[in-house]
Amino acid sequence: KTPPQGRYIDNVVEWTEALNDYLQKGLDDFRKRPYWNKERTSRGGEALMALQNRSAMWGRSIISNCYGDGGCITTAHAAELRKKQVPAIITDPLVFENISSDPLDPVVSNWLLKSGIQRVIVGHKPTGDSPAVLSSDYTGGVEIVSADTSFSDTSYADNRGQAVSVVEVVGATENESKQSIAFAWHSTNGSDV
């Protein structure tokens, strides 16, 4: 096996547009083939499901490795492990299961900063009772917040219940809080939560 041909996208806007295009193609595929084929080897939308798996995407996953789980640490030992494992990437996508990203990687910070991004918020991966914040002082200018949004009410049959997790980022002034996202959550019985 060899990794599929990829392309480098130089700015966040183009990258986001390319991901949205990939999403639409995946959703179209799912609409056409919502069930497994007879051999159970393929189904529509499988490329979207693969996005969350670094091995399936040959390390090109859009999912951030959680530095809060102890795997993405910046140490000489972690750097040496990455260096040893990189040659195997050419033939074995499973190598990505053992490679930890370096949250202090200046290449990533510079790419984000070039597009005006100073904070990345990632979620769902449990990191404890409060968000894990990696200061921009250590990452070359990009703050990373890993907030556990996986809270659920296990007393409900669906293991989710009417649980809602919120990550709120508030600036020092109203003007600094530039983006507002509003939504309505609808419960399974039709009432707004």
Side-chain angles (χ1 to χ4, degrees), residues 42-114:
S42 180
R43 65 180 275 195
E46 62 193 5
L48 297 179
M49 291 184 278
L51 276 176
Q52 55 76 38
N53 185 298
R54 290 185 300 150
S55 296
M57 299 301 291
W58 288 85
R60 298 179 184 136
S61 172
I62 61 167
I63 305 302
S64 172
N65 303 14
C66 177
Y67 69 87
D69 66 11
C72 291
I73 53 178
T74 302
T75 64
H77 177 69
E80 188 60 34
L81 286 176
R82 279 191 295 274
K83 188 176 178 180
K84 286 180 183 176
Q85 292 168 328
V86 165
I89 289 171
I90 302 302
T91 58
D92 183 8
L94 293 178
V95 167
F96 290 101
E97 294 296 323
N98 300 313
I99 293 180
S100 297
S101 298
D102 182 353
L104 306 184
D105 186 341
V107 173
V108 176
S109 290
N110 291 337
W111 183 78
L112 292 167
L113 288 168
K114 188 168 61 172

Side-chain angles (χ1 to χ4, degrees), residues 18 34 37 43 50 66-67 75 79 86 94-96 104 107 120 128 134 142-143 151-152 154 163-164 168 171 187:
N37 64 4
R43 65 180 275 195
C66 177
Y67 69 87
T75 64
V86 165
L94 293 178
V95 167
F96 290 101
L104 306 184
V107 173
V120 174
L134 184 57
V142 178
E143 179 181 68
F151 176 78
S152 64
T154 57
V164 176
E168 184 177 18
S187 68

